[in-house]
Amino acid sequence: MQVLIQIFLVVFLFFETGQTAEKAEQQQIKISTITHKHIQYISINEFAKAHQLKSTYYDSKEKLEIHYGSKVMYFSPLSAYCRINNSVYNMTYPTLYRNNIIYVPVKPLYKILSEEKIPTELLTVDKNSIITTIKSYNISNFAIDKKENGIAI
């Protein structure tokens, strides 16, 4: 009987994973880019708005603060560094500051977000835009253990 339950759970989770992939496709976000010296940049304000994140710019510190769950990201104009909580990252290329908007290099930003396990993924990079997705499901693996009084997943 327990073997049937385990098989049912595996089949259920397999089909549920397929639905998760479909849901992730529905959450694709398109953000426009600019190119400077062959490097693509996105407006960090547009990034925050597209992901529905709270952001605050502090004039006195010249820093933009963005909250992504428990993570707090800081960006400064014309700086190649950003900070997420207490970790400082070098983005290789400095941010741009045009018309009071901070632009961040796309690929280094998404590499940093991945390292910080922030649930977003860069899907495609085109000439004038990127397509990204929000990973709202973070289950990447599961195990079934037989216990004395049942099973644990």
Side-chain angles (χ1 to χ4, degrees):
M1 182 65 178
Q2 285 187 349
V3 172
L4 286 172
I5 293 172
Q6 290 176 348
I7 292 170
F8 173 77
L9 288 173
V10 169
V11 171
F12 175 76
L13 289 173
F14 175 78
F15 285 110
E16 189 66 23
T17 304
Q19 291 176 359
T20 301
E22 291 175 48
K23 289 178 186 174
E25 289 179 41
Q26 294 174 357
Q27 296 177 344
Q28 290 183 358
I29 299 168
K30 187 173 185 175
I31 302 174
S32 60
T33 62
I34 63 169
T35 303
H36 177 72
K37 295 184 181 178
H38 306 290
I39 307 299
Q40 283 192 279
Y41 290 79
I42 60 170
S43 161
I44 200 66
N45 293 337
E46 189 176 347
F47 169 86
K49 184 178 177 183
H51 287 82
Q52 299 175 350
L53 304 174
K54 179 186 172 202
S55 65
T56 307
Y57 186 78
Y58 297 101
D59 285 323
S60 61
K61 297 180 183 180
E62 290 188 342
K63 292 199 183 305
L64 178 68
E65 178 182 277
I66 299 174
H67 293 267
Y68 205 131
S70 64
K71 309 272 185 178
V72 181
M73 302 181 282
Y74 297 94
F75 299 92
S76 296
L78 308 174
S79 174
Y81 295 91
C82 72
R83 187 175 71 155
I84 300 178
N85 290 346
N86 293 324
S87 300
V88 177
Y89 294 94
N90 185 341
M91 295 185 289
T92 309
Y93 309 103
T95 61
L96 303 177
Y97 192 62
R98 296 182 179 173
N99 301 324
N100 295 326
I101 298 172
I102 299 174
Y103 292 89
V104 180
V106 172
K107 290 183 180 178
L109 173 66
Y110 278 90
K111 182 179 178 190
I112 292 166
L113 295 177
S114 176
E115 288 176 21
E116 279 287 328
K117 302 200 180 346
I118 292 177
T120 185
E121 181 179 3
L122 183 62
L123 298 177
T124 60
V125 179
D126 294 330
K127 185 177 179 182
N128 297 317
S129 66
I130 63 167
I131 296 178
T132 183
T133 186
I134 300 170
K135 298 180 200 174
S136 57
Y137 302 98
N138 60 4
I139 298 173
S140 59
N141 200 354
F142 68 93
I144 299 174
D145 292 331
K146 186 176 179 181
K147 300 288 182 181
E148 189 175 312
N149 62 347
I151 58 172
I153 299 177

